[in-house]
Amino acid sequence: MKKNRKNLALLLLAASLLAGCAGQSNSQSSQSSQAKSEKKAESKASSKSAAKSAASSAVSSTKSSSSQASSKSAASSSQRADANRMGTLTSQLRVKLPGMLLPAADGLGQGSSNLNIRYTSSSSQNVVYYSVGNSPLALNDSRIASEKPYAVLTEKKNVADASSLINYQEPKTGLPAVKIASNVTGTEEGAAGSTYLQFNQGQWSFVVRASNVQGQKPLPTAQKLLSLYQQYGLPDTAAKSSVQVDVGESLGSLNTVITWAKGSSVYQLKAHSTETAFKMLKSLS
């Protein structure tokens, strides 16, 4: 009897152990399943987040490209408007001053949208004044007269002796030589508190004046002048012609003076900037 009770107790203990193992297995299986579900959820959330980020990036890129394209378009439109203003005013001038050589380019680096032009005309000469105002005005508007011109183009008609107006300078000898470029040499002389540096190219004489009182040096300006001539050239002329530049540029100073002959007319362009003068003359027609 005691032996049977002992065997029964062993059977009950074994059954209890088997039940515990099964419960633990089920718990582990449940935990594993839950972990897999969580990983799937995390994966889906990560995918959604990546997709949303990519979409946001694409939208941002599209907006940026659109903004850049809009800016370029606006700048292009502004440049066309500036060019059209010079073209429009020049077309009107050609009607008023038939036969006169006129520049198609205003020569400006900025301010073209407010370019203004006025002119005077008589039987002996035409004079065209180019200026930049606070607003664009009609050709020959009376208010333009109060603006300082940055360039003045003059045509003297039916000139009998062009040389007296052009002031061409023959190459000098017996003066100190100054090297302006590797293949260009000029001469230098002092007079009346100024230093004059001269060089000649083809039919053109170039003279740069520097003020000794103001401590100016003519060489840097002469080198820039030669560079502009080589880059832009000057109007075709059969007569000997001249370029004269005072060192220093300021609005209204008109320190650059270029004079040449065309047929029976003598032309002269004065400008506050040497580069502006060359740009305007490059477009002359």
Side-chain angles (χ1 to χ4, degrees):
M1 187 72 176
K2 288 181 180 180
K3 187 176 181 179
N4 289 337
R5 287 179 180 175
K6 186 177 181 179
N7 288 338
L8 181 59
L10 289 171
L11 288 173
L12 290 173
L13 178 61
S16 176
L17 288 173
L18 287 174
C21 289
Q24 185 176 4
S25 176
N26 288 337
S27 175
Q28 289 176 348
S29 176
S30 175
Q31 290 175 355
S32 175
S33 177
Q34 183 177 358
K36 286 181 181 180
S37 297
E38 289 176 353
K39 283 184 179 180
K40 285 183 180 180
E42 287 176 359
S43 177
K44 286 182 180 179
S46 177
S47 297
K48 287 182 179 179
S49 177
K52 184 181 291 186
S53 176
S56 176
S57 177
V59 170
S60 177
S61 176
T62 301
K63 287 183 178 179
S64 177
S65 298
S66 177
S67 176
Q68 290 176 357
S70 178
S71 297
K72 288 181 179 179
S73 177
S76 178
S77 297
S78 176
Q79 289 173 353
R80 286 196 299 271
D82 292 348
N84 287 342
R85 176 155 182 78
M86 179 63 175
T88 299
L89 292 173
T90 301
S91 295
Q92 294 172 7
L93 268 179
R94 292 193 190 283
V95 175
K96 302 294 184 181
L97 308 173
M100 181 179 180
L101 294 175
L102 295 169
D106 60 29
L108 295 171
Q110 58 183 4
S112 296
S113 58
N114 287 333
L115 169 71
N116 291 319
I117 299 177
R118 68 183 180 92
Y119 71 92
T120 61
S121 181
S122 69
S123 59
S124 61
Q125 72 174 18
N126 297 321
V127 185
V128 182
Y129 302 84
Y130 297 84
S131 60
V132 174
N134 295 321
S135 61
L137 300 172
L139 178 67
N140 248 23
D141 188 294
S142 60
R143 289 170 289 179
I144 301 175
S146 63
E147 298 175 356
K148 285 186 177 181
Y150 70 84
V152 179
L153 178 63
T154 301
E155 177 195 18
K156 292 188 178 294
K157 308 173 190 176
N158 304 313
V159 176
D161 182 15
S163 61
S164 63
L165 298 174
I166 292 175
N167 196 29
Y168 172 85
Q169 300 292 308
E170 294 288 349
K172 300 290 195 302
T173 58
L175 293 172
V178 178
K179 190 173 184 179
I180 299 170
S182 59
N183 59 343
V184 178
T185 301
T187 56
E188 189 175 86
E189 65 178 325
S194 298
T195 299
Y196 295 84
L197 177 54
Q198 176 186 333
F199 63 95
N200 292 61
Q201 295 283 288
Q203 292 285 83
W204 293 84
S205 68
F206 299 80
V207 178
V208 176
R209 186 188 74 85
S211 169
N212 298 334
V213 176
Q214 297 180 37
Q216 297 173 339
K217 301 297 181 182
L219 182 57
T221 298
Q223 290 172 328
K224 178 183 177 181
L225 180 56
L226 176 61
S227 176
L228 290 170
Y229 170 67
Q230 292 172 338
Q231 180 179 357
Y232 294 103
L234 283 167
D236 292 333
T237 175
K240 292 180 177 180
S241 304
S242 69
V243 179
Q244 296 172 293
V245 178
D246 285 354
V247 175
E249 297 180 351
S250 60
L251 182 62
S253 63
L254 304 180
N255 282 346
T256 295
V257 181
I258 301 174
T259 314
W260 73 102
K262 183 70 173 179
S264 62
S265 294
V266 171
Y267 285 86
Q268 184 178 82
L269 177 67
K270 294 182 178 181
H272 82 280
S273 161
T274 306
E275 185 169 1
T276 292
F278 274 84
K279 287 179 177 180
M280 293 179 75
L281 293 182
K282 177 71 174 177
S283 67
L284 203 67
S285 64

